[in-house]
Amino acid sequence: MPLDQVNLGFTAERPEIPVDLARTLLGVVRQRLGLDIAWLSSFHDGMQVIEVLDGAADALDVSPGQRSRLSESYCVRVIDGRLPAVIPDTAANQITAALPITSVANIGAYVGVPVLSQSGAMVGMVCVASQQAKPYLADDDLRVVKQVADLIGTLVDTPPRGADPTAEQRKAIRRVVCDHDFEVVFQALYDAETGRVVGVEALSRFPCEPFQPDAFFTQAALLGLDVELETAIVRRVLSLIPQLPADVFVSMNISPAAALAVPWSDLLAQIDPARLVLEITEHDAVPDYGALDEVLEPCRARGMRLAVDDVGAGFASFSHVLELAPEFVKIDQSIIRHIDVDDARRRLARAIAEFAGQIGAAVVAEGVETQGELDAVAAAGIPLAQGYHLGRPQPHGHGFAPGPTAVGAEPTPTTVDLLGERPFELALAHSPIGMAVVGLDGTFLRTNRALRSMLGYSRRTLAGMTFQEITHPDDLDKDLALVNDCLTGRRRSYRMDKRYIAADGHVVWCALTAVLVHATRDRPLCFVSQIVDVTADRLREAELARRAATDPLTAIANRSAGWGRLEDLDASGAGYGVLFCDIERFKSVNDRCGHHAGDHLLVEVAARLLAAVDDDDLVARWGGDEFLVITDTVDDAGLARLAERITAQLERAPITLPDGTDTRIALTIGYAAHRPGDGRGIDAVLDDADQAMYDQRRSASLPT
Ligand code: C2E
Ligand code: MG
Ligand code: MG
């Protein structure tokens, strides 16, 4: 390989940067750290290639152009968190001490930082190393290496992440899925106060690019292999559970799609489901919560628990959490990062913790990297923590040592006791969504400001009321039936659109999500409800529906609404009658007096038809000057009487046109009926009525 150019990246298009610049930067960083050698490697086809090197090449067995398997490298382990970026003494670290490359290349101390291209692809690594251990290496040294790696990354351009993998990559990913060639490592979850390990999270490690698990799953999904891969991982994790300490739970990540596909009842036959926690990330949209609930409910009934992962990282919302009703809420590491020095993050974490407490979920802080973050996490009332500061992901069998404990932490309330002790309003004061804690008898125990202003009640008024009292009577039975389903264990939560009666009496349409919270497994405690005002949507929908069914000139039903009524009546099997009503000499009014007068006439005829028919009858403008009356009267005598009433309405008084002249008009009316059991369809009935109208016109010898 010519060394005047550096090739980086594991995509087909391999970008280039000047070697001289890279070598200069490596020289700076090597001297700054006082180590023997620095190099820039690139990753492709599962191999690490040393592209540029600075320093005493003979000190370690590393040389330009040298290739080694990535799966056996430090790099991959730094990237996936098994190894820290700074290793002052490789002999003192269990993983590096056991890796063959440590003795083969003579590495005593190491610092490595991945190089990310402009589009975020991991394209290589800046590594600095020496033969001797260097106990003084610290965070400051890491910062310098990071700066150099960042600088090199800005010079590298690759297709964006998630872009099509190369043919080689596709082959490698297929092989991983087919051969189940992945490893599962475990990262402990700790009680922040005592440092005790309470659970472990299973994380997958892959032997080929892209090594980062989330990127690997994305690529597998592009090949349609994600569910197969995840199912194989579930099998592997479950098979490892018996080898893990009996007093810790085992948490594993799963996408909603895989959760629906995994044959849970078979797989859980051999283990106690109470040891398993499924983590469903906030990032993945759940298309159908009902379907997911149906699949997971039998496992949850046997003790399996759920966690919502990465809460606060993205768009996801309290409603995602409410829908899943998890036992754990994991706060994303982007919120935990620098939480000890960032007030906004601290407030957000506290709000999430409070919310989780309200729904009876235990909270886990993810990605705790420093003692300061651990202290802040505990002070924010978060009882559980996970992160490199406490323990890195490691293969099972390594044992999980107790972690450091938080200093000066408040006693951390765990779950539902928060309901009584912490004001609900505090956590949700700024939520734009209405929320309430409702007792099992329907009494409002807590309400937030958004809900109270939506319904116009004061806190005190609402506190003395039940939801039954402010539910529209037409929606109450359905709501109570769903509550009962929850209380009898048939469901854990429900959603419905319902109407509330506001303090001033007006109706507010809301989308309600209610989740039943348990104090203990068998003792329901209260409901947590999320209530979103959808009145505007409802009004808009109603207006659109009205417009779609209304004739714009006469404001009565249009032909489409008339057809709808006929189809409903036809489907009900009850029978119906129709009357075609045609305005005689309408054309001459139009010709003589203009269209404006014609329109006026149509509006007046529609009004008189409405005045003649019964409340349950429908008058539709069928087209032009033709109207259709649809009635539930089916006998000829009744239809004839209706036709007479219509005629009488028309004859009652002349119609005054806009120019002030009076005109008398007549309708020709033909009717027909569909009687139960006569087997006649809508078209046949309409044809008969049309024919009857034609006959009527002829027999009256009126000119057409
Ligand atoms: P996650 O479930 O949120 O896992 C936590 C991630 O944070 C892990 O990354 C873990 O190694 C990393 N981490 C833990 N502590 C720290 C810390 O203190 N600092 C930093 N910077 N990172 C920390 P990992 O293993 O790379 O996994 C990334 C994501 O890939 C996971 O995020 C999860 O969503 C997904 N994933 C990993 N393994 C699996 C799997 O077997 N199945 C599924 N469906 N997804 C998986
Ligand atoms: Mg997770
Ligand atoms: Mg997470």
Side-chain angles (χ1 to χ4, degrees):
M1 176 187 310
L3 275 180
D4 56 336
Q5 298 280 294
V6 175
N7 294 319
L8 290 175
F10 39 70
T11 56
E13 297 148 49
R14 293 174 49 188
E16 301 177 339
I17 62 162
V19 159
D20 285 348
L21 174 58
R23 188 174 293 117
T24 307
L25 292 169
L26 291 172
V28 170
V29 76
R30 181 181 65 73
Q31 282 168 21
R32 166 73 171 71
L33 269 61
L35 302 191
D36 298 333
I37 184 169
W39 69 87
L40 169 65
S41 62
S42 66
F43 303 161
H44 27 89
D45 303 339
M47 304 298 283
Q48 174 181 211
V49 182
I50 310 291
E51 303 281 9
V52 190
L53 188 140
D54 176 84
D58 52 347
L60 287 91
D61 192 9
V62 180
S63 52
Q66 188 177 318
R67 292 163 65 87
S68 55
R69 286 178 62 81
L70 261 173
S71 54
E72 285 150 23
S73 69
Y74 283 23
C75 297
V76 164
R77 289 165 177 77
V78 171
I79 290 166
D80 70 26
R82 280 175 287 179
L83 283 177
V86 180
I87 308 169
D89 182 358
T90 57
N93 181 299
Q94 256 187 334
I95 295 177
T96 48
L99 270 178
I101 188 77
T102 306
S103 51
V104 170
N106 259 336
I107 305 172
Y110 172 90
V111 182
V113 174
V115 175
L116 300 180
S117 74
Q118 288 170 33
S119 55
M122 191 162 297
V123 292
M125 196 97 170
V126 170
C127 305
V128 198
S130 71
Q131 211 175 22
Q132 304 300 323
K134 301 283 181 182
Y136 59 80
L137 285 175
D139 285 353
D140 270 356
D141 303 297
L142 180 60
R143 250 193 302 279
V144 180
V145 186
K146 270 189 176 147
Q147 277 164 0
V148 167
D150 284 352
L151 189 56
I152 292 176
T154 59
L155 301 169
V156 179
D157 195 12
T158 56
R161 276 180 142 174
D164 274 356
T166 61
E168 274 304 313
Q169 259 183 287
R170 283 200 293 272
K171 210 165 112 190
I173 292 169
R174 281 208 181 88
R175 192 188 49 74
V176 165
V177 179
C178 182
D179 299 352
H180 299 176
D181 184 15
F182 51 82
E183 202 187 327
V184 174
V185 293
F186 294 91
Q187 186 179 28
L189 279 79
Y190 295 83
D191 180 313
E193 258 186 277
T194 63
R196 196 174 66 83
V197 175
V198 293
V200 292
E201 176 175 4
L203 295 162
S204 296
R205 298 292 174 253
F206 300 103
C208 67
E209 297 139 2
F211 290 93
Q212 305 109 296
D214 33 2
F216 197 93
F217 283 111
T218 306
Q219 297 293 9
L222 288 174
L223 301 177
L225 295 172
D226 47 339
V227 171
E228 185 179 341
L229 176 61
E230 286 195 70
T231 307
I233 293 169
V234 173
R235 285 182 194 280
R236 174 80 60 82
V237 172
L238 295 183
S239 75
L240 293 173
I241 287 183
Q243 298 171 42
L244 292 160
D247 58 344
V248 304
F249 62 79
V250 179
S251 198
M252 65 170 308
N253 300 280
I254 189 104
S255 67
L260 288 174
V262 166
W264 292 110
S265 58
D266 291 355
L267 292 184
L268 294 183
Q270 303 304 321
I271 65 141
D272 173 10
R275 293 207 58 197
L276 190 64
V277 176
L278 285 192
E279 295 190 12
I280 297 186
T281 171
E282 239 201 29
H283 300 303
D284 290 336
V286 175
D288 182 352
Y289 286 100
L292 194 59
D293 196 43
E294 222 164 87
V295 166
L296 297 181
E297 190 50 43
C299 314
R300 297 183 83 174
R302 292 179 53 206
M304 189 186 80
R305 287 169 289 174
L306 279 198
V308 176
D309 203 358
D310 308 327
V311 170
F315 67 93
S317 48
F318 290 138
S319 79
H320 182 68
V321 177
L322 280 176
E323 288 278 3
L324 293 171
E327 284 79 7
F328 296 91
V329 163
K330 299 187 76 175
I331 303 182
D332 190 65
Q333 47 182 278
S334 59
I335 292 170
I336 302 304
R337 189 69 54 252
H338 308 311
I339 188 174
D340 45 340
V341 290
D342 185 334
D343 201 36
R345 285 192 162 93
R346 209 162 33 235
R347 281 168 194 265
L348 184 53
R350 199 181 268 271
I352 295 173
E354 300 257 1
F355 169 66
Q358 302 296 342
I359 60 160
V363 193
V364 184
E366 293 186 303
V368 174
E369 290 192 349
T370 65
Q371 182 66 38
E373 288 172 357
L374 180 62
D375 294 343
V377 157
I382 298 170
L384 305 174
Q386 181 182 3
Y388 295 163
H389 179 64
L390 298 136
R392 287 177 175 273
Q394 56 183 42
H396 71 282
H398 275 216
F400 298 97
T405 55
V407 180
E410 291 173 8
T412 49
T414 44
T415 55
V416 285
D417 53 341
L418 280 169
L419 270 175
E421 289 170 13
R422 301 241 175 160
F424 183 69
E425 292 80 1
L426 192 75
L428 297 162
H430 301 293
S431 167
I433 292 168
M435 301 204 67
V437 178
V438 180
L440 300 181
D441 62 352
T443 312
F444 285 106
L445 303 176
R446 302 269 195 282
T447 52
N448 76 344
R449 194 173 298 139
L451 179 66
R452 294 192 298 269
S453 65
M454 187 193 303
L455 300 179
Y457 293 99
S458 71
R459 181 201 306 257
R460 190 171 301 167
T461 317
L462 216 45
M465 298 179 86
T466 61
F467 80 82
Q468 294 90 321
E469 289 170 82
I470 61 165
T471 294
H472 192 286
D474 291 350
D475 295 333
L476 190 56
D477 286 350
K478 184 176 173 196
D479 204 348
L480 289 173
L482 290 165
V483 165
N484 194 45
D485 278 358
C486 291
L487 294 177
T488 51
R490 279 199 288 276
R491 54 168 72 231
R492 188 190 313 274
S493 63
Y494 67 92
R495 294 206 301 165
M496 73 178 281
D497 277 6
K498 63 175 278 191
R499 284 159 287 183
Y500 287 94
I501 311 292
D504 64 4
H506 82 276
V507 167
V508 184
W509 268 104
C510 291
L512 163 73
T513 306
V515 178
L516 181 61
V517 175
H518 286 80
T520 60
R521 254 177 85 61
D522 303 325
R523 191 164 70 81
L525 183 67
C526 61
F527 286 90
V528 173
S529 302
Q530 188 192 49
I531 299 152
V532 181
D533 184 348
V534 294
T535 309
D537 296 344
R538 282 281 171 158
L539 290 177
R540 220 177 4 258
E541 280 165 22
E543 176 58 15
L544 284 174
R546 194 192 65 74
R547 278 194 215 167
T550 306
D551 173 53
L553 175 65
T554 58
I556 62 171
N558 62 13
R559 188 181 182 115
S560 145
W563 262 109
R565 171 67 69 92
L566 287 170
E567 281 167 354
D568 288 349
L569 288 166
D570 191 50
S572 77
Y576 55 87
V578 295
L579 295 88
F580 264 126
C581 309
D582 192 52
I583 304 176
E584 294 310 326
R585 299 208 200 100
F586 176 68
K587 189 168 175 305
S588 73
V589 175
N590 252 352
D591 292 346
R592 260 189 301 121
C593 312
H595 285 275
H596 187 45
D599 285 353
H600 184 84
L601 197 66
L602 289 167
V603 172
E604 187 62 24
V605 168
R608 294 198 184 190
L609 282 168
L610 285 177
V613 304
D614 287 336
D615 284 351
D616 291 342
D617 298 340
L618 184 87
V619 180
R621 184 164 171 214
W622 206 245
D625 59 345
E626 199 169 61
F627 294 82
L628 186 72
V629 176
I630 303 169
T631 172
D632 55 10
T633 304
V634 294
D635 63 292
D636 284 345
L639 290 168
R641 275 196 299 280
L642 183 51
E644 281 162 18
R645 285 210 312 270
I646 293 170
T647 306
Q649 266 296 333
L650 264 297
E651 288 173 351
R652 176 174 57 79
I655 293 172
T656 308
L657 295 177
D659 64 1
T661 58
D662 282 348
T663 184
R664 287 199 170 269
I665 57 132
L667 295 181
T668 307
I669 303 173
Y671 54 80
H674 160 54
R675 298 181 183 90
D678 69 8
R680 302 171 73 208
I682 299 171
D683 284 328
V685 178
L686 290 177
D687 282 350
D688 284 357
D690 200 33
Q691 183 61 44
M693 187 174 71
Y694 181 72
D695 294 347
Q696 171 77 18
R697 183 175 290 144
R698 263 203 328 193
S699 70
S701 305
L702 288 168
T704 54

